[in-house]
Amino acid sequence: MVEDRRKATIRLNALQSVIAVVFSLLAVSFWTLQVVQHAKYEELAENNHQRTLALRAPRGLVFDRGGRVMVENRHSYSISIVREHTKDLNRTVSMLADVLRIDESYVRGIVDRHRREPTYRPITIIQDASLAQVAAVVARRLDSELPDVAVLPTPTRRYPDTLAAHLFGYVGEVSDAQVAADDSLKSGDLTGQSGIERVYNSYLMGVDGARRVVVNSVGREIRTLDEEPPTEGKRLQLTIDYDVQKAIEDAFKVANDDGVATAGAAVVLDPRNGEVLGFTSRPAYDPNAFAGGIDRSTLTSLNGDELKPFQNRAIQGRYSPGSTFKMAVALAGLEEGIITPEYRAYCPGHANFYGREFHCWSDRKGGHGSIDLRRAIAESCDVYFYTVANMVGIDKINKWATALGLGVMSGIDLPNEVQGLVPSTEWKREKMHEKWYAGETISVGIGQGQVSVTPVSMAVYMSTLANGGTRVTPHLLKQIDDGSGWKPVPSPAPKSVVAIDHDKLEAIRDGMWQVVNGTGWATGQSARVAGHDVAGKTGSSQVISAQGRAIAANKTARNLRDHGWFVFFAPKEDPRIAGVVFLEHGIHGGNAARVTHHILETFFAKEDHRPPPPPPTTATMNWDFKDADR
């Protein structure tokens, strides 16, 4: 019995010891969890809560006048850091850069720019992530390596045809200056940066939605509490005609490929109301490259390109108009009663004014002889317009040229338009503190000297001559759909209306018709379209004097070539299309007329319910590389 009692006591003591050890271990564990690791688990517990995820709104679609989609959206994913759930931001930045296979300094730079923003607002690192990047981040999130990184579906802009880049513009992350100027914007928003994307951003930009979810301690979503869907931006219909636009771009591409002109612009309007049917500036860029955030190398390449693809030459390029300015000089002479349509001047190929010899472009052929207004326009006689300009004077030329739309802002609904110049005595006195000399007017008479114009102003100029004196406001917006159907947008009011004598204007229009449809020295025959009366005018503007070109020709010959212009309207008696084609260093206006021919042929094919002509080729364009008219 005694032996049994001793064994029982030993067992009881052993059991008590085991229990004491277990409770001691439990006590140590509880102390460790509740005291030593208190901060860690408190943070995990606090992070096991709701999270609000932004649902980015798609931007409104953009259509041409016929209903064809010109700008749309595509599905993509963005990758962002949510600092609210970050325990070690430096670690996250380093790991995310490694996972995405991008430069860590790039990621850190983005984070640094947004440090002062609320921590609950995600910092977008990649706007348009590749599938490989998305998969890599999602895998790390499942492993709890990147719980503070969010992958969100994001609608991204898409320009399916990459036409009219300067017209449509592009979108990009809003700048600090834009946020400061607009209370409706917040850092990280995508907004229009140029073109109609910028001008009509308030229409195109929708209202973001939100989704509230419950996440666990490692950032994994457990369930969705509620969701407010985003509201898509308003849809816009533009005045642009897709086929006319494509015709412009196709013809310019051939000009570039054939070495005729690597740069230039074209603006095509409806002269009755100012609707823009086509609009191009060359060279251009691909707006799709900006939709998801343009990479550094591409942006550096574009910024460093000597042809300046970001410059919208149609509204920002200022050039001498050359002989296309002659109709403004003619109208000034006619309306001021200084000449009549029958007034004649004698052109032996040159003329002397104020002790200086001025040459006509035809001087090597003996000149035009005795010539009246209609033929002077048709054959682009410089001596005739030297003479008329000298008789009219610079201030009256300024008066009528600005009434037609030159040297003034067009008011087109695109950003950063610049103003051309038609000089006057007052302008020179204020600008240069000098008097205007009569000899300076001679060069202005043929669109050289101080006069400079933008292509868009030349399109307005042609529209004013086409419609009889109404200076229309070029515009791009035709209709808006806010979800309740299309609502027309009224055309903006004309800038001015000037009374022009019909018979005097008709004399100018007759001359322009002969430019295209005449024989002999008619300079714009390449723009002729069978069955349709096209009126136009060629122009070649010098970028350097003949003497200077002879000295420098072997160095930079292409950059010293004349610019080529062609301005037009059609049909002559009932104009429904008017505009300008400008080829920078395109040699002469005849080449610009060749581009215009394809545009007009396409326009009239649509009016006649015929298929549009095929894209032009080197053989069909038949470029002329010889110096020709002014």
Side-chain angles (χ1 to χ4, degrees), residues 585-605:
H585 304 298
I587 309 172
H588 53 73
N591 285 332
R594 288 169 170 82
V595 173
T596 304
H597 171 82
H598 183 64
I599 298 169
L600 291 173
E601 193 177 25
T602 301
F603 176 82
F604 286 119

Side-chain angles (χ1 to χ4, degrees), residues 151-212:
V151 177
L152 300 174
T154 304
T156 298
R157 217 52 166 157
R158 180 171 178 266
Y159 306 85
D161 294 294
T162 63
L163 300 176
H166 294 87
L167 185 153
F168 293 117
Y170 59 89
V171 296
E173 186 175 347
V174 66
S175 66
D176 293 340
Q178 288 172 314
V179 172
D182 189 342
D183 294 337
S184 66
L185 298 175
K186 62 182 183 299
S187 183
D189 283 345
L190 291 179
T191 185
Q193 300 296 323
S194 69
I196 64 157
E197 292 279 20
R198 174 178 167 183
V199 173
Y200 295 116
N201 185 69
S202 59
Y203 290 135
L204 293 168
M205 194 171 181
V207 179
D208 289 347
R211 183 161 61 96
R212 283 198 310 127

Side-chain angles (χ1 to χ4, degrees), residues 59-65 67-73 157-161 167-168 196-197 200 203-204 232-240 476-477 479 486:
R59 290 176 70 83
L61 304 186
V62 180
F63 301 82
D64 86 326
R65 66 189 299 115
R68 184 185 181 109
V69 176
M70 302 293 284
V71 185
E72 59 187 7
N73 301 302
R157 217 52 166 157
R158 180 171 178 266
Y159 306 85
D161 294 294
L167 185 153
F168 293 117
I196 64 157
E197 292 279 20
Y200 295 116
Y203 290 135
L204 293 168
E232 185 175 356
K234 296 178 176 63
R235 303 193 302 165
L236 303 185
Q237 184 181 45
L238 303 185
T239 62
I240 292 294
L476 294 158
L477 187 58
Q479 296 192 96
W486 289 106

